[in-house]
Amino acid sequence: MTDARIPAPIDPPARLLMGPGPVSAYPSVLRALSAPLVGQYDPFMTTAMAETQELYRAVWATRNEATLLVDGTSRAGIEAAIVSLVNQGDRVLVPIFGRFGHLLVEIAERAGAEVHTIETDWGQVFPVSAIAEAIERVRPAVLAIVQGDTSTTMNQPLDEIGELCARHGVLFYCDATASLGGNDFEADAWGLDAATAGLQKCLSGPSGAAPITLSERAVEVVQSRKRIEAGIREAGDPVSDRFVRSNYFDLGMILDYWGPRRLNHHTEATSMLYAARECARTIAIEGRDAVIARHRLAGDAMLAGVRGLGLEVFGDVAHKMNNVVAVEIPDGVAGDATRQALLDDFGIEIGTSFGPLHGRVWRIGTMGYNARKDAVLTTLAALEAVLRRAGARVAPGGGVDAASDVYGGAA
């Protein structure tokens, strides 16, 4: 007899996740999550770890040996990078153009950094000249910047910043949580010293593993702060007095866990490793450039579609991320109620935003598995229907027609 107090088995409703993330996972990723567990030092496991490292080198476009996963959401990767690279009292420069720049400030401050910021209006990005001026004025140890900030949908150009940082002896860290896999990213060519991401955006997996890559220069900084915890420390292991102030996010020990030493620092999140491996394997099968092009096409189609409905788009569209667009909520339309109608009636989720954009825009994503024609057209048709019921004046069929034209032109 079933106890009424015991919840039923998990049975989520059908959803098309077209917001700024998380998004629907690739079916093969969901299958990978159900694979049997093995021990953390089983040869199958260590082989899977090595395969995952090589797959993510291709995703990041890097030869960095120190390319691996941090167990936890994308924020775990951010925190591991910052607390491991930043000594107390180090100057850290953060250019802020949206909510997630403020997050980098928050984490750097908690790491004991002397944080300096520059800011621009939400919906804009920084010219390289502004970043150059700030570096010369602040003389930071680390520049920490977001590439694609989903709160504003802007994509900060990075290609000239690495050379600038190298010239001034600055470590260059980038949070690519929302951009990796759907937008151009060239870790080596752009001179990145550290970059982190998550699975739940363009990589189209579940949140819970954070890919990270570190240059040799970044690894040297991490190793200079090395302290192996008592209990697994061996004779001759260094014990720095400038050790990383987090145990779990200490990249020195995490690197040894993933390296030949297989330091018993933590127990790998096996199912998340399987998922992360499959996310990157899926990209390898389709081709990294082809995946980015697919995101660009889907983003262009969604942009054309919302404009075809007569809606305004927020921000500098020339610097918009491929995988998300911010749509101005029409006057007289209740933004949250309309989003709820889209979810209730069509099973489609889109996002609201934060700070100065809360209640002003919707954010519509085209990422990973959902960066495809049927998902774009279905979302636009449903959005037209709920807007019409909300009293908005929209062009009948305008969204689907405009998006279809973009896909037709690409054929």
Side-chain angles (χ1 to χ4, degrees), residues 17-93:
L17 301 181
M18 298 296 286
V23 302
S24 308
Y26 289 116
S28 63
V29 172
L30 296 177
R31 289 193 294 271
L33 280 165
S34 67
L37 303 184
V38 296
Q40 63 174 327
Y41 298 119
D42 188 292
F44 177 87
M45 183 67 167
T46 54
T47 297
M49 292 170 73
E51 291 170 344
T52 301
Q53 291 181 277
E54 190 60 28
L55 285 164
Y56 276 95
R57 289 184 186 108
V59 174
W60 287 114
T62 185
R63 293 184 174 183
N64 289 340
E65 182 177 349
T67 300
L68 46 111
L69 303 176
V70 175
D71 290 339
T73 64
S74 52
R75 189 173 300 211
I78 298 168
E79 188 149 345
I82 291 177
V83 301
S84 297
L85 293 174
V86 175
N87 284 289
Q88 287 196 334
D90 278 353
R91 291 183 180 180
V92 174
L93 174 62

Side-chain angles (χ1 to χ4, degrees), residues 25-360:
Y26 289 116
S28 63
V29 172
L30 296 177
R31 289 193 294 271
L33 280 165
S34 67
L37 303 184
V38 296
Q40 63 174 327
Y41 298 119
D42 188 292
F44 177 87
M45 183 67 167
T46 54
T47 297
M49 292 170 73
E51 291 170 344
T52 301
Q53 291 181 277
E54 190 60 28
L55 285 164
Y56 276 95
R57 289 184 186 108
V59 174
W60 287 114
T62 185
R63 293 184 174 183
N64 289 340
E65 182 177 349
T67 300
L68 46 111
L69 303 176
V70 175
D71 290 339
T73 64
S74 52
R75 189 173 300 211
I78 298 168
E79 188 149 345
I82 291 177
V83 301
S84 297
L85 293 174
V86 175
N87 284 289
Q88 287 196 334
D90 278 353
R91 291 183 180 180
V92 174
L93 174 62
V94 182
I96 300 172
F97 59 100
R99 175 205 167 176
F100 294 101
H102 288 290
L103 175 62
L104 300 187
V105 171
E106 166 80 11
I107 294 173
E109 287 179 342
R110 288 174 180 263
E114 177 188 317
V115 181
H116 298 255
T117 63
I118 55 175
E119 296 195 43
T120 190
D121 293 339
W122 286 33
Q124 303 296 317
V125 296
F126 290 95
V128 70
S129 59
I131 296 173
E133 185 281 327
I135 287 175
E136 291 172 3
R137 171 171 45 83
V138 173
R139 300 289 176 178
V142 176
L143 172 73
I145 192 168
V146 176
Q147 183 189 30
D149 195 314
T150 51
S151 67
T152 68
T153 77
M154 293 297 103
N155 189 345
Q156 171 66 47
L158 303 176
D159 55 321
E160 298 180 63
I161 298 176
E163 188 277 330
L164 185 64
C165 288
R167 191 188 328 147
H168 292 280
V170 178
L171 285 172
F172 181 18
Y173 162 68
C174 176
D175 166 18
T177 296
S179 51
L180 184 69
N183 301 265
D184 292 333
F185 196 96
E186 303 289 335
D188 286 356
W190 294 349
L192 271 296
D193 289 300
T196 62
L199 302 186
Q200 74 275 17
K201 309 276 187 176
C202 300
L203 299 179
S204 211
S207 179
I212 183 171
T213 189
L214 303 171
S215 72
E216 290 183 2
R217 190 162 70 126
V219 171
E220 287 175 4
V221 173
V222 170
Q223 299 291 18
S224 74
R225 305 185 65 196
K226 194 162 190 176
R227 184 176 98 161
I228 305 296
E229 67 188 64
I232 55 175
R233 188 183 304 154
E234 297 178 359
D237 280 343
V239 183
S240 172
D241 59 2
R242 297 181 299 118
F243 59 87
V244 175
R245 298 297 165 171
S246 169
N247 176 287
Y248 187 70
F249 294 131
D250 184 341
L251 286 176
M253 288 193 284
I254 293 173
L255 286 170
D256 275 348
Y257 179 81
W258 280 78
R261 183 174 177 179
R262 298 297 175 188
L263 183 76
N264 192 12
H265 172 252
H266 65 283
T267 301
E268 182 59 22
T270 309
S271 296
M272 286 308 307
L273 173 76
Y274 295 165
R277 177 182 177 275
E278 185 60 25
C279 288
R281 198 181 79 90
T282 300
I283 291 175
I285 292 169
E286 185 176 348
R288 190 183 78 120
D289 292 345
V291 173
I292 293 171
R294 174 165 59 81
H295 279 81
R296 184 178 300 114
L297 178 59
D300 287 347
M302 185 62 77
L303 175 63
V306 295
R307 284 175 163 170
L309 287 172
L311 304 176
E312 297 293 326
V313 175
F314 171 79
D316 176 7
V317 173
H319 288 104
K320 187 186 77 65
M321 299 162 68
N322 290 337
N323 52 298
V324 62
V325 61
V327 180
E328 299 269 7
I329 300 171
D331 290 342
V333 171
D336 287 345
T338 302
R339 285 178 57 241
Q340 191 63 47
L342 198 60
L343 187 68
D344 293 342
D345 296 342
F346 295 94
I348 298 174
E349 178 182 283
I350 63 173
T352 182
S353 193
F354 312 100
L357 296 183
H358 182 70
R360 178 180 165 187

